[in-house]
Amino acid sequence: MLRLDQISKTYRTTEVETSALSEVSIEVGAGEFVAVMGPSGCGKSTLLNIVGMLDSPTDGAYWFFGQDVAGYSEAKLNRLRRDNIGFVFQSFNLIDDLTVAENVEVALIYRSGSGGARKQKVADALERVGIAHRARHRPQQLSGGQQQRVAVARALVSAPKLILADEPTGNLDTANGEAVMGLLAGAADAGATVVMVTHSLAHAAAAHRTIRLLDGRVVSETLLGS
Amino acid sequence: MLRNYLATALRNLARNKLYAAITVLGLSLGFAAALLIALFVRDEFSYDRFIPGHRDTYLVTLRMKTPTTAWSDASDTEVWTAPLLKAQFPEIQDAARLTKAYFPPLVQRGLVKIGEQQFMWADPNIFRVLPVPVLAGDLQTALDTPDGLVLTRAMARKYFGADAPLGATLLVDGHPMRVTAVIRDLPSNTHLIGDFFGSGLAAFSVLKQSEQINGVGDYSHNTWTYVRLKSGVSPAAIEQRLPDFLAQRMPIQPGLESTIGKVSQSLHLLPLADIHLWPSNQGAMKPGGDRQVIAAIALVGVLIVGIAAINFVTLMTARANRRAVEVGVRKAMGARRSDLIVQFLGEAMLYVLLSTVVAVALAELLLPPANGLLQRTMSFNYLGDPSLAGPIVGVALIVGLLAGIYPAFILSGFRPAAVLKGGRSAAGGSPWVRQGLVVVQFAVLVGLIIVTTTVARQTYFALNDSLRVDKSQVLLAFVSPCTDNFRNRVLALPGVKSAACASAFALNFTESIDALKVGDHSADIDGAGVDFGFFEVFGVKPLAGRLFQQTRSTDDLHADLSATTSIVLNESGARKLGFATPQAAIGQIAYWHGPVRMAHTNNPDEPTEIIGVVPDFSFSGPRAGIHPSFYYVGPKEASISIALAAKLDGRRIPETLAGIDRIWADVGDGNPMIKAFVDQLMLLRLIDSLIQGVVIAICAGLALFIACLGLFALSAYTAEQRTKEIGVRKAMGAGTGDILRLLVWQFTKPVLWANLIAWPIGWWVMDRWLSGFAYHVDLNPLTFVFAGTAAVLIAWVTVVGQAFLVARSKPVAALRYE
């Protein structure tokens, strides 16, 4: 489904050059659940941003469904992102001024489709994550676990082919973390490709494969059960 | 999508009430001020357009010069101009005249007797040429009889307590006149004045008397001449034949030209709607407008809106990081940059729309006091007047677009990768742009303070020092004529230090240009009749020679017409006659030609001795300048000796005024006497300048308030942004004073930079404005220092409160904040 080929990412200022990723090559198949692990500052989030087309690599190729998107314009990346990728963030990143239902709907309003169809999809997504009863609440009225469910619902509502989760359980307690992991695993079972950055070995165990990064490079890949 | 945007915008507004209120308040005040200024500008350009057929109606104006004067333009012409034009030009459908007595006629009903300033004498066909709105009666025939009288509604109510007292009678200077029509009160946006219009057919009317006294070509201009052209006729077709008309039908009398020299003159047709903004005020019924002043006030309106818009931009961009996560999420969800630009521009438009509604309400509320200040009757019918509603909406949209586009670009430009990981991010947009906008705001503010201060100084100078006389406690009692008996009895009152009669020429109400010749040097000089003691009343001391003395008969023109009488020159007059110093003029003989001299001696070439030279002084105000003048003790005739000037000791003013009233009741002609202190008179003469100064001061105050609103919000936000830094500094040992200095200095820098921009521009603008006055204050560098210092102090006062709160907070609270 996606393949990174010698991807490097360097951040440059007038005085400092920081290499966040260095010649990283990985491949993720359709329907795979991949966990990415490593110490802080190893480039996990940078990798996820590039996979999610939120950032562009400095060097290398990124093949997404057979297209090398590394040199694509922002407009083209935007279309690919909108049509194929859902995001779950560590700090939830819900919009405070919108209700739960409206937050989930944000994933649909930039696509074509009628208001009625959108509402139905939002209702289904909220039902799926068990937060439908809070549809009219604002994020600040929810607990952390509930907010992350909303974020997962937002990631799932458009039925994306790829779900990127950046430490989705990092700000949650054990129980809530388990619940969110259950939702992501469920999405993977349903056929979505999931790439998840995590610090938790326990949660990484839910993935089919774990990729470890260190200082911007891939140091190991472990298959489930091995 | 739009519903989502609207929900976000409205809830964001509700959640940030303080900043939303500051933004809306600033924009509303700016828009409201701009609205009122726009109404004023529109009013200035709307004069006389209410008169039907105004496009075919013209005021006949006169352009003239003599060998010793420059070209000048006047609104008034000779009394015979209208009938001669009508006879000569078939293209003229109708021509009519208006004139006004120098002294207000006494209008009486029963025991009520009032000198009415705004009494006009008119040709019977005046309302065919100027068809003002009528309330009762037939204006076409109202003045066809000699006793015909047309009133305004206000006068009808004043004298009769009714709106349409047709057929009722008023005595005008003792003559019965019949009310034949009532018109609506003239609006403020007309060059016309007039509460009463009396038929010029009346034998005692000024119009009839002018016809009897003045011949064609006698250079006596005291009549306003209006012509209405036939439909489709171009004024150019008439104007090109006016030089021949003047030369053949209205040449200057030869005897007059031998006195004052060859006169060059031309007649012109000034469209009715252009009268108000015509540059010349000579002979005008009331002071006209000034295009430069209108442009300046309009510019101030634009600047105020600019300041409010800058507030909006700086606040939106400074607080942009609060929307960073939302932007990142929306982009992650697939929003294009254009989608976000539309969203944030829409939010800007929402603020602008809200502000416009509030501004319209504010403008409606403030219109009555604005009308009071400007002495106007402006209206604000935005619903019924598309020419008003359209521009309001249009300007609001443009301002919203221009002010909203930069924040929209900044907000939509956030990179999702940078903002979605969590933690705070910096304020949006370049801090240099924000600082630059604050610099611009305060540059405008400093400029307005400079303008306001300079205008105030010049106004004070105009009211006080520019006259160059001691006018304190000097009362003018307008009586015609002012006699020796009246003067002497007033002088005997305990509260009166000195008193003297004065002519209209001496008080600069009008001018009479005579010719003086010394040796080979001949010059046109203003001649002014005064009384013994006139100069002493105003504290004027001679620079050379002496003043008039009652003991010397040659000092009195009327006493011995065969003798060589005396005159006193002013400095400018002495220079114009070629004297190198005032002393050089003393004892010299000047030969005096002039209408006054001729009226009393029939000898156009009388020798007069220059007995003294006085400093230049004037009662006209600084714009008119001081003309070369000579003074003589003239006859106390009704048309010349028009007022008593009395210097009071200031201790018993009510008793003294009552005493003067008693004396007048005893020696006067039974008619009321108008009294005014010279201070009050000058105030009236300079009322337009005063109003302009007040308007500019109000605008400056408003701009200041709006800028401070923005600065307050920006400082509050900046202090919040720097909470962690402040916590760290305090943990490292910084005291409250250190933190205060840090925060206050951040907002002092742009204000200091603003002075560098405002000072040179302010200097150039004020230098040009002051050069329009014949006498003016100097541009004092302290004015600029004051403006800059005031701006800095204002900025400090605005930000110190917020800064103090943050500076005093505990470090742990700040560090835990992160």
Side-chain angles (χ1 to χ4, degrees), chain B residues 630-666:
Chain B
F630 73 96
Y631 303 91
Y632 55 91
V633 175
K636 291 189 175 59
E637 293 169 1
S639 60
I640 296 177
S641 180
I642 62 152
L644 179 76
K647 176 86 172 175
L648 309 187
D649 64 12
R651 285 197 298 266
R652 288 162 281 200
I653 291 180
E655 293 89 343
T656 309
L657 294 179
I660 294 175
D661 285 339
R662 277 195 300 275
I663 293 169
W664 179 248
D666 193 26

Side-chain angles (χ1 to χ4, degrees), chain B residues 251-422:
Chain B
I252 297 291
Q253 293 171 5
L256 202 58
E257 283 200 316
S258 71
T259 302
I260 60 177
K262 175 83 179 128
V263 174
S264 304
Q265 57 173 2
S266 57
L267 291 175
H268 302 272
L269 299 184
L270 179 64
L272 201 66
D274 292 351
I275 295 174
H276 174 62
L277 293 178
W278 196 44
S280 171
N281 271 322
Q282 191 176 339
M285 285 190 202
K286 60 183 180 182
D290 185 331
R291 284 177 199 269
Q292 281 190 329
V293 169
I294 296 169
I297 291 177
L299 179 63
V300 168
V302 169
L303 289 175
I304 289 176
V305 171
I307 286 177
I310 287 175
N311 266 3
F312 179 74
V313 172
T314 52
L315 281 179
M316 285 283 273
T317 54
R319 292 175 55 78
N321 70 331
R322 287 178 179 256
R323 310 293 294 275
V325 165
E326 178 190 344
V327 171
V329 165
R330 288 184 185 270
K331 280 195 164 182
M333 299 301 117
R336 295 163 296 188
R337 190 168 189 189
S338 56
D339 294 320
L340 294 167
I341 288 172
V342 165
Q343 177 186 352
F344 292 116
L345 255 184
E347 284 191 27
M349 291 301 185
L350 185 67
Y351 275 103
V352 167
L353 179 68
L354 202 55
S355 304
T356 304
V357 169
V358 175
V360 165
L362 270 176
E364 273 196 296
L365 266 174
L366 294 172
L367 187 60
N371 273 332
L373 171 67
L374 299 171
Q375 301 178 333
R376 301 283 170 113
T377 51
M378 299 182 294
S379 61
F380 186 29
N381 181 18
Y382 52 91
L383 286 177
D385 186 353
S387 69
L388 200 54
I392 289 174
V393 171
V395 167
L397 285 176
I398 291 170
V399 170
L401 200 65
L402 290 175
I405 199 76
Y406 178 67
F409 264 93
I410 295 302
L411 285 158
S412 64
F414 282 131
R415 296 186 65 81
V419 300
L420 286 174
K421 185 60 182 173

Side-chain angles (χ1 to χ4, degrees), chain B residues 740-753:
Chain B
L740 207 58
R741 266 191 299 278
L742 179 75
L743 293 173
V744 170
W745 176 240
Q746 181 178 0
F747 290 98
T748 305
K749 271 188 299 192
V751 180
L752 293 176
W753 279 108

Side-chain angles (χ1 to χ4, degrees), chain B residues 547-564:
Chain B
L547 300 175
F548 298 117
Q549 292 166 2
Q550 209 155 5
T551 52
R552 293 174 187 250
S553 63
T554 50
D555 281 3
D556 187 344
L557 173 70
H558 204 62
D560 186 351
L561 296 172
S562 62
T564 300

Side-chain angles (χ1 to χ4, degrees), chain B residues 516 525-536 540-549 554-555 565-574 577 579 582 585-588 590 592 608-617 627-633:
Chain B
L516 287 184
I525 298 190
D526 287 12
V530 296
D531 191 8
F532 293 106
F534 173 81
F535 295 110
E536 289 85 339
V540 177
K541 293 185 171 48
L543 296 172
R546 64 175 180 84
L547 300 175
F548 298 117
Q549 292 166 2
T554 50
D555 281 3
T565 51
S566 312
I567 59 171
V568 169
L569 296 176
N570 70 358
E571 276 179 275
S572 298
L577 284 172
F579 296 111
I586 306 305
Q588 299 297 313
W592 172 8
T608 54
E609 182 184 353
I610 301 170
I611 61 162
V613 176
V614 293
D616 288 342
F617 65 91
H627 296 176
S629 303
F630 73 96
Y631 303 91
Y632 55 91
V633 175

Side-chain angles (χ1 to χ4, degrees), chain A residues 116-174:
Chain A
R118 279 205 303 272
K119 278 193 169 16
Q120 188 57 53
K121 287 182 181 177
V122 166
D124 291 343
L126 290 175
E127 202 59 56
R128 195 168 156 191
V129 302
I131 200 80
H133 60 293
R134 298 286 212 155
R136 290 212 174 109
H137 286 77
R138 299 277 186 91
Q140 45 274 47
Q141 295 173 295
L142 307 180
S143 67
Q146 289 171 325
Q147 288 187 55
Q148 196 61 301
R149 285 171 188 262
V150 176
V152 171
R154 183 177 62 190
L156 298 178
V157 70
S158 57
K161 299 184 182 69
L162 174 66
I163 296 172
L164 302 177
D166 190 353
E167 301 195 51
T169 62
N171 286 352
L172 302 177
D173 57 41
T174 310

